[in-house]
Amino acid sequence: MNRIEPRSGVAFELPRGAELTVCDPEGRQVSDLLAYNAQDVREVISNGRTFDYEETLRLGKGNRLWSNRSTPMLTIIEDTVKQHDFLLTPCSEDTFRHFYADKPVHRGCFGNLAEALKPFGIEPDAIPTAFNIFMNVPVDGDSGLIAVKPPESRPGDRIVLRAEMDLVIGLTACSAYDSNGGTFKPIDYEVN
Amino acid sequence: MNRIEPRSGVAFELPRGAELTVCDPEGRQVSDLLAYNAQDVREVISNGRTFDYEETLRLGKGNRLWSNRSTPMLTIIEDTVKQHDFLLTPCSEDTFRHFYADKPVHRGCFGNLAEALKPFGIEPDAIPTAFNIFMNVPVDGDSGLIAVKPPESRPGDRIVLRAEMDLVIGLTACSAYDSNGGTFKPIDYEVN
């Protein structure tokens, strides 16, 4: 397993057919995932296209994550939590100022992803809503209200995703207080 | 009022402070709205940033629509329906093939927006999840399941949005069967 240290992020190529395992080693931690077509990074993961085709906000084993060009990018082939978020954008300097005005500003997952993705020619403006692994965002169907709760993931919980095309992946150990219950922990991953 | 004919779309500049009224003249019709910063079209409306800051999926009077750079683009100042969707992407050739395999393929709101936005230097890949005015997408909070139902808008229902920066707006009269109850109708709009 490779380790993503607390409040940091990585980017790497994931060839078609490869399997990416993302593991929460200590429990109650979130990992923001982005995916781009390695041959043309203008093709990018899309929450809206995924909701279109999967017809649910709650994605788990068997669901696919789709691109803005209506192509499947990743298939979830194993999932011990089945509680992930695809509604909210990566935490950033702006979200720290907004939500944690009394705490030090951090560049957050957004800044970590922007730096990690830069060598692949991906600009900060090309960072969309991420697939937030293990993130617990309950939705009230009547009012529409959403909230960010601590993840239900326990130590060793994992998700495995198979690449359906050659991808560039961005992946973080989340930096925000609310999304991981107020602590900052690592994320582990491996490619098989 | 300007009229958007059934299954078509327009794009136009909306200066900061101007008010855009979008009206459903016949009832049960959807209008997909996109917004870009007129000075730099890489800044674009973001459902994820809007959900971050507004903390609800159900947007109405008083809510703001935010950009990928965490800046308010539009404020909803009047809304007679308070039922809009910000989860799903514009209908397209691909969604017609997927959902309506027995019906003629149409370029949909995606194709209409792509053509209308091209003169402003906006590429098809830069079309994100739209703010789908009057679109009725109930969410089951427990299962996460979503569905597309006919709009509840009646003839003359409207929403008014104030521009918080100089914008390029894309706007359609929706082309998909499910989102407007199986018929295709116009949308009216005006700028004040």
Side-chain angles (χ1 to χ4, degrees), chain B residues 71-85:
Chain B
T71 308
M73 301 187 102
L74 291 155
T75 301
I76 301 173
I77 59 173
E78 188 186 331
D79 178 14
T80 64
V81 178
K82 202 178 176 177
Q83 189 176 69
H84 317 288
D85 169 67

Side-chain angles (χ1 to χ4, degrees), chain B residues 22-185:
Chain B
V22 180
C23 175
D24 183 352
E26 299 179 13
R28 295 182 108 190
Q29 174 59 309
V30 166
S31 177
D32 287 12
L33 177 143
L34 293 176
Y36 299 82
N37 177 343
Q39 268 80 55
D40 181 352
V41 296
R42 295 174 302 180
E43 181 167 12
V44 58
I45 195 168
S46 164
N47 67 344
R49 286 281 173 229
T50 301
F51 297 149
D52 276 339
Y53 295 121
E54 301 300 318
E55 302 184 51
T56 182
L57 304 185
R58 185 177 279 256
L59 301 158
K61 185 174 175 177
N63 288 119
R64 292 181 289 181
L65 308 182
W66 294 69
S67 80
N68 59 337
R69 294 183 190 167
S70 288
T71 308
M73 301 187 102
L74 291 155
T75 301
I76 301 173
I77 59 173
E78 188 186 331
D79 178 14
T80 64
V81 178
K82 202 178 176 177
Q83 189 176 69
H84 317 288
D85 169 67
F86 210 179
L87 296 170
L88 302 178
T89 36
C91 59
S92 68
E93 289 189 4
D94 293 305
T95 65
F96 273 88
R97 288 190 196 97
H98 184 95
F99 291 109
Y100 312 112
D102 60 334
K103 294 192 168 68
V105 170
H106 190 275
R107 68 179 184 175
C109 288
F110 185 86
N112 289 329
L113 289 163
E115 183 180 346
L117 292 166
K118 193 175 180 183
F120 296 95
I122 296 163
E123 296 291 322
D125 283 327
I127 293 177
T129 306
F131 181 62
N132 303 305
I133 295 169
F134 309 133
M135 190 170 184
N136 182 4
V137 181
V139 174
D140 183 310
D142 293 325
S143 68
L145 292 173
I146 56 178
V148 177
K149 302 289 186 189
E152 295 186 356
S153 49
R154 297 146 302 171
D157 268 328
R158 66 187 55 217
I159 187 172
V160 184
L161 305 111
R162 184 183 60 229
E164 304 297 351
M165 62 169 71
D166 291 340
L167 296 172
V168 172
I169 296 289
L171 198 65
T172 72
C174 185
S175 307
Y177 298 88
D178 287 348
S179 58
N180 49 39
T183 62
F184 307 117
K185 285 161 288 192

Side-chain angles (χ1 to χ4, degrees), chain A residues 120-168:
Chain A
F120 296 95
I122 296 162
E123 297 291 323
D125 283 328
I127 294 178
T129 305
F131 180 62
N132 303 305
I133 296 169
F134 310 132
M135 191 171 183
N136 181 5
V137 181
V139 174
D140 182 311
D142 293 325
S143 67
L145 292 174
I146 55 179
V148 177
K149 302 288 186 188
E152 295 185 356
S153 50
R154 296 147 304 173
D157 268 327
R158 65 187 55 217
I159 186 171
V160 184
L161 305 112
R162 185 181 61 228
E164 304 298 350
M165 62 169 71
D166 293 338
L167 296 172
V168 172

Side-chain angles (χ1 to χ4, degrees), chain A residues 59-61 76-84 158-159:
Chain A
L59 301 158
K61 185 175 176 177
I76 301 173
I77 59 174
E78 188 186 331
D79 178 15
T80 64
V81 179
K82 202 177 176 177
Q83 190 176 67
H84 315 289
R158 65 187 55 217
I159 186 171

Side-chain angles (χ1 to χ4, degrees), chain A residues 4 9-12 20 31-36 112-113 116-117 120 122 130-131 133 167-172:
Chain A
I4 305 174
V10 297
F12 52 89
L20 170 65
S31 177
D32 287 13
L33 178 143
L34 293 176
Y36 298 82
N112 289 328
L113 289 163
L117 292 166
F120 296 95
I122 296 162
F131 180 62
I133 296 169
L167 296 172
V168 172
I169 296 288
L171 197 66
T172 71

